[in-house]
Amino acid sequence: MATLGLVEYQNASAEVRAVYDDIMTSRKTDYINNFWKALAHDPISLKRTWESVKQIMAPGALDSLTKELIYIAISASNQCGYCVASHTASARKQGMTDAQFAELMAVTGMANESNRLASGYQVEIDDRFKT
Amino acid sequence: MATLGLVEYQNASAEVRAVYDDIMTSRKTDYINNFWKALAHDPISLKRTWESVKQIMAPGALDSLTKELIYIAISASNQCGYCVASHTASARKQGMTDAQFAELMAVTGMANESNRLASGYQVEIDDRFKT
Amino acid sequence: MATLGLVEYQNASAEVRAVYDDIMTSRKTDYINNFWKALAHDPISLKRTWESVKQIMAPGALDSLTKELIYIAISASNQCGYCVASHTASARKQGMTDAQFAELMAVTGMANESNRLASGYQVEIDDRFKT
Amino acid sequence: MATLGLVEYQNASAEVRAVYDDIMTSRKTDYINNFWKALAHDPISLKRTWESVKQIMAPGALDSLTKELIYIAISASNQCGYCVASHTASARKQGMTDAQFAELMAVTGMANESNRLASGYQVEIDDRFKT
Amino acid sequence: MATLGLVEYQNASAEVRAVYDDIMTSRKTDYINNFWKALAHDPISLKRTWESVKQIMAPGALDSLTKELIYIAISASNQCGYCVASHTASARKQGMTDAQFAELMAVTGMANESNRLASGYQVEIDDRFKT
Amino acid sequence: MATLGLVEYQNASAEVRAVYDDIMTSRKTDYINNFWKALAHDPISLKRTWESVKQIMAPGALDSLTKELIYIAISASNQCGYCVASHTASARKQGMTDAQFAELMAVTGMANESNRLASGYQVEIDDRFKT
């Protein structure tokens, strides 16, 4: 169970409800996932984290699906089970196909492999890659 | 300096040259970067790694730029200086703009933050995220 | 289940019991947690690890609660579920409040975020930070 | 060099200068470190990241020095050279002694060790640690 | 459950069956573990990953047991529960004793500890270690 | 430069010299590497860390070279430049060949890749791997 427990809507303060409402409106859903409920014991962190996520994940120079794919790649690299599960669900909602997921995993695996080859072989940065 | 040194084209065996040639042809360049030269003391690993990279990074369900962005995100998460430098250069060659890079970094930072909030708060996976 | 199983007090050798006794005395408890029972198949590692933990976690220039907070921060960063759970329990015993925990998590998240911004943006160390 | 270069005060937009001014005022310094200058090509990320850092690192349930110590512990765990250097400097400014630093490192090392013993031995979470 | 589900032999395409058959022949077993079944929705990744594993894990300059030990060490460092479990089983099949496992864990813990002491203390590489 | 500077033998206390002497005797060398000199400002950590390393890295159920290989694998996975450099040097002194190093790197890369495939695909542990 989450360290501080989960704050359900009906037990939430007005401050927390305002964030929950904004999450539901922004995401066009009536569901608040456990991540937010676990954070909600600290309304300031809840609000700051949500505002950051909302700003960062909005479509911009990169579209929303690309951003979700990046989130999954990092979460898999970091072995964050919760984050892999929740962002895989989000990516599917945004249209991720099985073929895209499989290619995402292949890149994720390869990047993690080559990151270690580079450090293990002590490869120096090529002059032309120094910006 | 790289652990086993760098194998330059003129000193390379036919086996290594064949890989170098394929890298240059596939990437439309006459430059072989240090990563491959450092691996080339082990021609079998060189060939296997290159074949995997070529297959995985080819455009498919995801385009090549998206794949490079994922590579950068993981390399930054893993603190691999070489990989950040080389894949940032690759992504630019494929058209990555400064605005795309900045958004990529924002997502990378946020994902790394929320990955730790999820584990630190011991958030359980929502039933609906269990596939 | 733990790889080598758990060694219960009643089945433990004199060598292992001596460590268990010291853990219980030092921590003013009659409970040995699974971590130590899992290690106990290797009495030398058990003893060395416990002696190190006892020395390192004792109050000194930093108090015991601060040390537990650092332990949680690292365990959350590393996605070690066992360690987050056990050290959160220890920190509570030492008086950690919910407000302290929430701030700890906020710092942990932020540090993990900015660590990746620094590597992703390839920020060079300021001359004045070179000691 | 930083991927997008460093934005110096004299070349900064009004938006960026406002953040720089706030950093200097809040920290009682006339120095902006490279991290912020590297981020400044993306004024929105600059502002969001600074606002988050300012809020999170302010003294609250945990004092500022404790927060800096946690930052160093995580940065060392993540192998972020920039972050170790910059936050060690910050911690010193806030009064960190050599003895505190040495104990911080000992805890950081031990936590990273025991995190891996827990995962490697596949230790199950004790029932009493399940909150 | 695995993201894309598990592909059982009886439901597998000829392409996937060929890999499964090769796994069973090479490993002298009639069991395909979940890792491969989870990958099998992407037959190209399945084949590439298996071919790489088969080539890399074959005895060569290092024997098979040593390679499995290295696999466990990395999996424990990365907090990959699945990988620790599966490679511990493989290592046992190859003759790993409890004493070897315990020493492996001790080295894994120590390496993770000293890796952080080196970064936290900002230790510079000795000239003689620069190859 | 190391955070607290390096303690050279001629400036060291008797306590530190005793550890340095033991390092040189045990390793049959007259060289103390920077790691120990950086730790030496904290003689208690220096002694504890050295005693642990000496005990853990001694030949036992695993030989010394195997232990060094594991150290390199973890250091490369963790992106610890210092540790890769110093343990590669140690392994060479213990007879590591280029072919062994190359295979070590291949396993290190593969393990890091498959660790992420396992977490990204959310593969459940096979019942038979639950010990």
Side-chain angles (χ1 to χ4, degrees), chain E residues 35-87:
Chain E
F35 179 80
W36 303 111
K37 291 180 185 169
L39 269 182
H41 284 279
D42 176 12
I44 291 173
S45 280
L46 175 71
K47 187 172 161 59
R48 186 188 59 246
T49 307
W50 165 245
E51 295 291 350
S52 293
V53 165
K54 187 168 63 163
Q55 188 184 71
I56 290 168
M57 298 303 282
L62 300 176
D63 61 82
S64 293
L65 177 55
T66 298
K67 292 182 175 185
E68 286 292 347
L69 297 177
I70 293 165
Y71 228 107
I72 297 172
I74 291 169
S75 302
S77 295
N78 288 338
Q79 303 286 335
C80 181
Y82 185 84
C83 311
V84 169
S86 61
H87 285 279

Side-chain angles (χ1 to χ4, degrees), chain E residues 98-113:
Chain E
D98 286 2
Q100 288 175 318
F101 175 75
E103 292 196 11
L104 172 66
M105 287 297 103
V107 177
T108 298
M110 190 73 228
N112 274 289
E113 176 170 3

Side-chain angles (χ1 to χ4, degrees), chain C residues 8 17-18 26 31 36 42 49 59 71 95 98 104 107 114 118-120:
Chain C
E8 300 297 338
R17 282 188 183 189
S26 302
Y31 186 71
W36 303 110
D42 176 12
T49 306
Y71 229 106
D98 285 1
L104 172 66
V107 177
S114 63
S119 66

